[in-house]
């Protein structure tokens, strides 16, 4: 249920409505907008309370929301959410480029790569410190030491950093160090991790599970938002299909569909979808052309020496080529075309 | 096996090699190139004949081909195949736009649409006359009468036409009328139809089955080519996955991978992948950005009145918008980047 | 729409109703039952004719059918269809065993195998003569000569034979020789082949495509039935998924669901699903335990010498073991449990 | 690497080998067997250490293990693992029946159901207390109170209980209360949870993720085993495919393949695969017929009143029917047939 306040409603009126919602055993989520405040209502809402709330002072309309996802849906918030990370705006008209190595491996590798990437136009730096690995015998990341290196790279370059929070136990560490907290595809339905991310005041980059439907992705984002964190960035990174020529099948069609049903920004990880360097650039062009709000792409100064995911990392030269090509594509993409007004 | 002739080899030398191949129980496929002629050899080839052929006059090298697909592979023919249809070149630097209604429904609908499309920049006209329908109770197409309407549309607009040959029984009819013969996704492994298409001297547009791997698609093209027809256009149109928000999942990654392994042109059908009009334009932009050689897209002057697939047809206005946007994307795409020389 | 005749209705009354249906531009399909005749009505039926037909003499009820499949649905024919092939009944209480080599390779191999299989309890003999092969360079079957060998194997053993009709061109040959005509998975939506099979008076074994939904399978059967052939045997043979340990994923759940929605018998091909001999027996047990009406399984006297699909063929010893184990499972399976009365 | 000790090797010799392994920077996993002890070696093992270890006292052979999964593989431990839970043996010749409601809802519902199930032949009781729910607005389980009810049900019936540990935070609570700790499908790659489970001395029931390959499932089990917990029970519960008639597609073929490659027991959850009550019994029969070591099935005394998953819960009468039918199938299944000796 969504309660629309009048444009002239006072803060006090908003508060009173919220208290009335709580008194009915439901949970209010005030969503301040440019013109007016809306109040999302979650909990086991039937239609009964609807009329009651419509009578309250300052309320102009009460709307039933029929989708299972509420806070993430455009029904509740028609305007695009723009997530701000320092000087970077995600979900605004210009797509953002998040780039960096799969894993933080050393100070030299990471800081050097960050400096090079800044020179080539990257907006943010990515780098894994706690790595989810299919096998217990694979390199698991540098952990806390990696985070320190990331912070140093940010200090030296000004690039905000994003890194994955793998567990609730290590969440605080990651949260303190980074600017955007990544939730990985294998954790998309790790509900305690999602709730913890929802209590953070830092933005969350939520990757789609390789087997999630659009609805399941939005409900995972709903876990984060319903705890109070409105800054969620969705990320498509390929799904599991029978198709063998890529590691995953990039589901390019989810981009324009998400643009219609949610106000959250959506970026694409072409590197994990491809699993092979030689098609990362074409997939990146396709993602931006389809309307993505940005990319998160693996770049390594010497991919053959990478400790994880080397075969899918771009070289710095290739990253430069990618930025050039995207610069020509971006003007061709009407922003938010999918939104039906 | 691939036999490379010297650049100075005479036609007679090529003939002699072909006869030697046949004498070994194998089948020669001469492939004239700009600089030299290559001779593809198919049949149950072991390594034994290799040395023998290397001794023949005019031969410079004999190469073993390890992929199951041979004539379609870049190993045998490194340069791109450009399929010529009247004034249109498919597989050349400029992507082509094939557009038109799902089904030919009436003279007025088809000729009128063709004239409008020509004005908007379409290169070819599509229109189904023999329709593959999941249910026996659905509209099955106008058949021979539809072909006559297509021919009239071509006569009035100059646009070459493409239509599906659904069966070997009706193949002759379609072949005579159209400029490019389409083999539908459900017939991708209808081997007698593929062989019949291989005996045609008209180009074949071969759609990928919704469950075909890349290798199966190329082996289907191999059926056509091994009968002697070198003019095959591959078409990606979405695969079956668990993902529900589109009718099929457009496998965008197959475009750059195909560009590497085959010399055949590859186009994309965004309409059948989407199954919904509102994301056809973003998918189209993505396909061109990923390196596709063209699109085949459903356009209807009044989609709500269409007798089949109305919900996924673009309006003429949307087609115009699409052409405009693609015009900005095309310059950003290096042609044939995937080819490893 | 389904028109139920009274149990006392005369043939003449049935005829009159059929003529009335035709006069309305629809197509009647009389379905004689043990107690009464029903008349399926196909075509673009709205609800308007319903009352009119209910008034006709001999009619007891007119039922609207809401599923897209009609003749194949239990709504139209609640009792199980039993397909009779000589002495064999498919769809009756005892599951049938159809066994034999993937391809008919020689007189000795086929007749010898047939004799051994008869001794081990097989009900029918399978053997491919026209083979659908992914690659044009693979063994394509013995064709007409293979059919002659199959006929001889039947003459010497009394086992009815089943073989695939690959094309409309060779359909007559196969139809004349065999007792059951197989339509392969890759041809499940080859609609001209389905229509030709619908005009045959021999039973049709219709294999599910590797990417077909339940509804698409039933609509393919509907193509056969709507041409007048009521004897269709459905066959599950595995679907395409990401799962790699088998060639296809046997969709065991479709068996009990099909039992609910259709009256047609359903058998299982464990050999093509598995693609590996070592799990064919467990899959076979599972299929019978799930309620399948029979199996079609590849058996070869010397699998290592087989010209196609050797790795998945059972030896004769393994077939004997399979029959023994199934004999213990069959009594545990309530027949037709899925049917909701 | 696997180090096989002589049958006459002393405990001291085993210890010395383990210390030598550690001295090489590797990790030893002693696996005591009936006849001899084997020592699994994990870590970045090349072939260099192999000869060195072969020289140690008490060692008879050193074997390289080529699969990415080691401790879970039959290469390291050829004999079946039998997991003992009180009087229940999982992985032994008789399949086990784990049954109960999806969620623990009340004392009366749970204890009453447990008593009825014991009377009908169930071996263990299942019941969710911490529920993973796709939506944050769905019932999340009774938590600690639910565990108390489960314990009471065990005390009154003697049935061991299994329940899901959803997070590392609540792991201790669940571990203390239950006899077998379940890791859910959505947590199959929650690596911190797997490691925590590996430190428990209680058996772990590990469900396959809906998108996991066989190898990924075994590597998840490897996380548990490599921390020292050898008692892992694998559980197939259906995978994500395009097929719509069930909620997930039960991958019946993984059962015999797992039996070949791993020594761990494998059970099946037919309820979550089906998502609909009416096919749970056929899927259960199929699972046992394919060689599963048991079932975990949802049973509810009044499914229409269930707070979660009611549509897929069997009634008590249906559970009784299931037990009867399985009793006839079990003798038909040779145990461990897949094992290649």
């Amino acid at each position: 249920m969504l309660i629309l306040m009048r444009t002239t409603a006072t803060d006090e009126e908003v508060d009173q409505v919220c208290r009335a919602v709580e008194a009915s055993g439901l949970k209010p989520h005030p969503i301040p907008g440019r013109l007016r405040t809306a109040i999302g209502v979650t909990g086991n809402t039937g239609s009964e309370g609807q009329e009651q709330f419509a009578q309250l002072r300052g309320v102009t309309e009460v709307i039933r929301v029929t989708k299972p996802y509420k806070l993430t849906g455009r029904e509740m918030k028609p305007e695009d959410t723009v997530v701000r990370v320092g000087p970077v705006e995600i979900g605004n008209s210009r797509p953002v480029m998040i780039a960096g190595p799969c894993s933080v491996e050393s100070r030299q590798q990471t800081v050097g790569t960050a400096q090079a990437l800044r020179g080539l136009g990257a907006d943010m730096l990515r780098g894994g410190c706690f790595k989810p690995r299919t096998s217990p015998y694979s390199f698991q990341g540098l952990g806390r030491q990696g985070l320190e290196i990331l912070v140093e790279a940010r200090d030296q370059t000004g690039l905000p950093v994003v890194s994955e929070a793998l567990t609730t136990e290590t969440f605080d560490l990651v949260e303190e160090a980074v600017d955007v907290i990544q939730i990985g595809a294998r954790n998309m339905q790790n509900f305690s991790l999602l709730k913890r991310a929802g209590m953070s005041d830092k933005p969350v980059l939520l990757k789609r599970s390789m087997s999630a439907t659009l609805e399941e992705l939005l409900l995972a984002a709903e876990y984060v938002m319903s705890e109070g964190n409105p800054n969620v960035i969705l990320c498509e990174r390929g799904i599991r299909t029978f198709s063998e020529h890529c590691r995953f099948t990039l589901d390019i069609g989810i981009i324009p569909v998400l643009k219609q049903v949610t106000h959250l920004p959506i970026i694409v990880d072409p590197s994990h979808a491809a699993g092979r360097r030689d098609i990362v650039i074409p997939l990146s062009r396709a993602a931006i052309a389809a309307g993505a709000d940005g990319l998160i792409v693996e770049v390594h100064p010497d991919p053959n020496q990478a400790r994880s995911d080397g075969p899918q990392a771009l070289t710095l030269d290739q990253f430069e080529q990618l930025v050039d090509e995207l610069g020509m594509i971006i003007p061709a993409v009407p922003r938010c075309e999918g939104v039906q007004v």
Side-chain angles (χ1 to χ4, degrees), chain A residues 70-90:
Chain A
K70 297 187 193 309
L71 305 177
T72 55
R74 279 211 190 267
E75 288 189 55
M76 275 230 182
K77 178 169 180 289
E79 319 93 58
D80 284 348
T81 288
V82 176
V83 176
R84 289 180 176 76
V85 187
V88 181
E89 292 186 340
I90 305 173

Side-chain angles (χ1 to χ4, degrees), chain A residues 102 105 109 300 302-311 313:
Chain A
C102 176
E105 295 167 4
Q109 166 240 24
H300 197 282
D302 185 359
N304 294 328
Q305 299 301 319
R307 294 188 69 179
S308 58
D309 282 353

